[in-house]
């Protein structure tokens, strides 16, 4: 059971994915993909963290030659991170069940003919603002700006890497509004859906 989960910022996608992984008893990969890529790269972590799920202008960023993998030398941090995360996604998917959050995992697996269930978590903008305000303690204006900025970064990154529309329902097996049921019930529903898809 390979599950790929895209999400709007503030929709609870990370928490839903984690809850699903617990219910299904399978490995969960989100920031863990970044951590493992950093470990494999041998690069200073801050340079890879800055470009995670972001498209950056290669002309404004240095290229790296002190990378452990010789095939990645002479590339930007953005290119290196995408290559390493894609490799990890493929390795883990071939080993067995897993949930992958973001990082274009659905497209990475599709291009390698690996079956997967592709989900997208959304929620109304105002509900996402409310949720992030509660979680962070930040003001409404600051949170609204952060949500718009993060969504745009994810959209640009996904569409640059995949050539497909981020959040377009036709690109996913199921899209769901997490605000309707909340994190736990949304995770329960999606976990059950994925179990049925495996039958």
């Amino acid at each position: 059971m390979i599950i790929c989960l895209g999400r709007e910022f503030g929709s609870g996608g990370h928490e839903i994915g984690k809850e699903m992984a617990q219910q299904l008893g399978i490995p969960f990969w989100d920031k863990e993909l970044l951590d493992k890529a950093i470990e494999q790269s041998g690069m200073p972590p801050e340079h890879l963290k800055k470009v995670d799920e972001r498209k950056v202008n290669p002309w404004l960023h240095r290229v790296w030659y002190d990378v452990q993998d010789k095939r990645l030398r002479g590339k930007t941090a953005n290119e290196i991170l995408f290559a390493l995360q894609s490799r990890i996604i493929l390795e883990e998917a071939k080993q067995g069940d897993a949930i992958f959050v973001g990082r274009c995992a659905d497209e990475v697996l599709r291009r390698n003919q690996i079956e997967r269930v592709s989900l997208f978590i959304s929620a109304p903008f105002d509900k996402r603002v409310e949720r992030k305000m509660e979680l962070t303690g930040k003001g409404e204006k600051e949170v609204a700006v952060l949500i718009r900025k993060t969504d745009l970064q994810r959209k640009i990154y996904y569409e640059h890497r995949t050539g497909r529309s981020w959040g377009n329902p036709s690109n996913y097996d199921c899209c769901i509004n997490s605000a309707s049921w909340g994190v736990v019930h949304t995770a329960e529903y999606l976990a059950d859906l994925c179990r049925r898809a495996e039958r």
Side-chain angles (χ1 to χ4, degrees):
M1 185 185 298
I2 307 297
I3 301 167
C4 300
L5 198 156
R7 73 285 186 224
E8 290 181 323
F9 189 67
S11 66
H14 172 87
E15 293 82 358
I16 289 166
K18 199 161 191 176
E19 179 68 23
M20 286 177 67
Q22 290 175 353
Q23 291 184 26
L24 296 168
I26 64 178
F28 174 75
W29 292 88
D30 188 354
K31 291 294 184 186
E32 295 81 359
L33 287 167
L34 173 61
D35 294 339
K36 193 164 184 178
I38 289 170
E39 181 185 320
Q40 291 183 4
S41 73
M43 291 171 57
E46 62 272 15
H47 292 282
L48 293 181
K49 288 179 180 179
K50 283 181 184 176
V51 298
D52 188 31
E53 291 194 285
R54 295 178 185 173
K55 179 181 180 289
V56 294
N57 187 336
W59 301 107
L60 301 178
H61 292 268
R62 64 178 282 191
V63 294
W64 292 82
Y65 292 96
D66 52 345
V67 182
Q68 291 178 6
D69 187 333
K70 293 179 181 179
R71 293 170 293 181
L72 298 178
R73 292 175 183 170
K75 296 184 180 293
T76 65
N78 191 270
E79 293 291 331
I80 292 167
L81 181 59
F82 181 73
L84 290 173
Q85 288 183 330
S86 297
R87 185 186 304 168
I88 295 163
I89 288 166
L90 287 172
E91 288 171 353
E92 294 300 323
K94 288 174 182 176
Q95 286 185 26
D97 302 341
I99 292 182
F100 300 103
V101 178
R103 281 82 184 177
C104 305
D106 55 341
E107 183 66 9
V108 170
L109 297 173
R110 187 185 72 83
R111 290 178 182 176
N112 287 274
Q113 291 82 49
I114 295 177
E115 289 189 19
R116 72 264 157 225
V117 176
S118 184
L119 309 172
F120 192 82
I121 312 296
S122 183
F125 186 78
D126 62 322
K127 297 295 184 184
R128 293 190 284 142
V129 170
E130 286 176 17
R131 186 170 184 277
K132 278 297 179 182
M133 285 174 64
E134 289 176 11
L135 290 173
T136 65
K138 294 179 180 178
E140 181 178 355
K141 186 175 180 180
E142 185 179 2
V143 167
V145 169
L146 179 61
I147 289 174
R148 288 193 181 96
K149 180 181 177 182
T150 306
D151 278 351
L152 182 60
Q153 287 171 340
R154 288 177 179 174
K155 174 182 170 62
I156 292 171
Y157 179 78
Y158 183 86
E159 294 180 357
H160 168 68
R161 291 292 177 191
T162 70
R164 304 170 75 192
S165 296
W166 180 78
N168 185 333
S170 64
N171 290 331
Y172 306 91
D173 298 309
C174 178
C175 297
I176 194 164
N177 176 1
S178 60
S180 296
W181 295 347
V183 168
V184 175
H185 290 305
T186 299
E188 288 173 349
Y189 174 80
L190 292 175
D192 186 56
L193 182 72
C194 292
R195 287 190 195 98
R196 292 172 185 270
E198 284 295 294
R199 294 173 186 166

